[in-house]
Amino acid sequence: MTEPAHGTEKSSSGDAGLHRRLVYGDERALAEVYAEYGGLVRRVALRVTRSTGAAEDVAQEVFAHLWSRPYAYDPRRGSLRTWLSMLAHRRAVDWVRGEARHRKDIRADDDALHAIPEPGPGPDETVVDRERSLLLHSALAELPESQREVVHLAYFAGRTYRQAAVELGIPEGTAKTRLRTALRSLAETLADPPDPALERGA
């Protein structure tokens, strides 16, 4: 009969001991885990995210999760090393997916912005341009005031959404959401303008 590897027994026993200490809120146990596995967690995250900054953020999330929810790890089901690696991989994948969604949102915002006609009609403006300009102003008037303020600052006054947030005294995330919602609403209106004939009852 093959005898169990002493290294494995020692590792399992050590993990169980660390786990008990973490459950009891022993900060030194967390420091020991970080010293032992911090480099591993960062390497796993870096392979997935390809970003040193993101890898550091993932590592912080992983160890914060272990500290706040020590029961999430069960020493009887595997080693702490494996559990931390898997958690780091999952968090890194979430980060990559979040970045992909962020880039998609930025492209959508850019497309919506490009669909809006340039303000300030020139002397050679065509009838279609005038109609679209009137439609734009009409669509702007239909927006909620909170969205209209951000659009005015970001589009007509040339502010970034961060600058608009400061001027309006609101969080950056709120300004970004209002601008994105407004731009998409305007883009939809301009892409499918009402039929003048239908409006006249023809």
Side-chain angles (χ1 to χ4, degrees), residues 123-177:
D124 298 327
E125 184 183 44
T126 64
V127 173
V128 174
D129 288 335
R130 286 196 296 272
E131 290 178 350
R132 287 179 64 83
S133 179
L134 291 172
L135 181 60
L136 169 62
H137 288 289
S138 176
L140 281 169
E142 294 297 323
L143 292 175
E145 183 178 356
S146 59
Q147 294 180 16
R148 193 163 58 247
E149 289 175 339
V150 179
V151 171
H152 174 77
L153 289 173
Y155 183 60
F156 294 98
R159 306 288 197 277
T160 65
Y161 75 85
R162 289 187 174 89
Q163 292 170 333
V166 172
E167 292 192 29
L168 295 174
I170 59 177
E172 290 183 4
T174 300
K176 183 177 181 181
T177 299

